Amino acid sequence: MGKVDLSVIFSGGIISFPKIMPYAPEFNPGAIFSVAIIFLVSAAETIGDTTAMVSGGLDRDITTEEISGSLACDGYASAFSSCLGCPPVTSFSQNVGLINMTKVVNRVVLGLAAVIIVLVGLIPKFSALLTTVPSCVLGGATVSVFAMIAMTGIKLVVKGGLNTRNTAVVGLSVALGIGVIQVADCFAQFPEWAKTIFGTSPVVIATLTAVTLNLLLPKDLD
């Protein structure tokens, strides 16, 4: 393990406030469409994260009100972050893994985590201190957390039933989501905005495939 570079901690200022509307507003149809698609994918991720969190942390099914609340928070936060020059925000799947590991679902704990994140954004020295955490520590935590996320997803799929319809939806979504981005020239004939949206993340293709198949495949397909 290497020595901690203290100069990194003391290199920043004391307080750093965000700039309100750092960019002049522009209404570009291509950019608006791209961000709208990205936010829809982000919303799908939020639904999955909250569903997995409730299932793994509270051992029950999520309610419609909880889904609506999580999507509303996503929307409000994204609208606010745009005023600070940030892209749409999203939920963090890592938190799902932590909740499944610890079974801690408490507003006080989550509130304290939010306060820490705000302090990291406002106090450069605090954020610089966190960058001194060794990569091996972060790597070890990441492996265990994402393993829990993967198992939670598998549990939700099994809970929904492994009939022909569900297997087709899940299997094709995963196969296309992972497979398409592995082909470098898959979107060579598409415009640049399409490459940015569909060719950089497996989540986009997997989400669109799952939603489309869920709408098209008959419900009684066994």
Side-chain angles (χ1 to χ4, degrees):
M1 183 183 299
K3 295 177 62 177
V4 176
D5 186 3
L6 296 179
S7 63
V8 175
I9 302 176
F10 298 104
S11 60
I14 302 299
I15 298 293
S16 177
F17 290 103
K19 295 181 179 180
I20 306 298
M21 300 297 291
Y23 305 105
E26 292 185 17
F27 297 94
N28 185 298
I32 293 174
F33 178 75
S34 300
V35 172
I37 294 295
I38 293 172
F39 183 77
L40 289 176
V41 175
S42 172
E45 182 180 2
T46 298
I47 294 175
D49 288 343
T50 51
T51 301
M53 183 182 69
V54 172
S55 175
L58 301 177
D59 295 321
R60 62 172 175 81
D61 293 331
I62 192 170
T63 64
T64 304
E65 291 78 10
E66 288 169 335
I67 293 178
S68 300
S70 62
L71 292 177
C73 289
D74 225 6
Y76 294 143
S78 295
F80 179 73
S81 69
S82 66
C83 297
L84 304 178
C86 300
V89 299
T90 183
S91 57
F92 287 91
S93 300
Q94 294 91 328
N95 297 332
V96 177
L98 290 174
I99 289 175
N100 278 271
M101 290 176 64
T102 62
K103 300 296 182 181
V104 175
V105 185
N106 186 285
R107 292 183 179 180
V108 175
V109 175
L110 299 179
L112 288 175
V115 170
I116 293 174
I117 293 174
V118 172
L119 292 177
V120 168
L122 295 178
I123 305 176
K125 294 187 185 300
F126 191 14
S127 58
L129 175 63
L130 296 182
T131 63
T132 63
V133 177
S135 57
C136 56
V137 175
L138 295 176
T142 301
V143 169
S144 60
V145 166
F146 277 98
M148 293 297 298
I149 296 171
M151 292 309 301
T152 301
I154 293 174
K155 286 170 60 178
L156 291 174
V157 172
V158 173
K159 186 177 180 180
L162 294 178
N163 54 35
T164 303
R165 185 180 189 277
N166 292 346
T167 303
V169 172
V170 175
L172 288 173
S173 300
V174 172
L176 289 176
I178 296 177
V180 167
I181 65 170
Q182 303 301 319
V183 183
D185 298 329
C186 187
F187 291 93
Q189 304 302 319
F190 288 81
E192 193 62 33
W193 62 265
K195 297 178 185 178
T196 303
I197 297 175
F198 302 107
T200 57
S201 173
V203 176
V204 179
I205 298 294
T207 299
L208 294 178
T209 302
V211 172
T212 302
L213 291 176
N214 189 56
L215 293 174
L216 295 179
L217 292 179
K219 301 295 182 182
D220 56 352
L221 181 63
D222 294 325

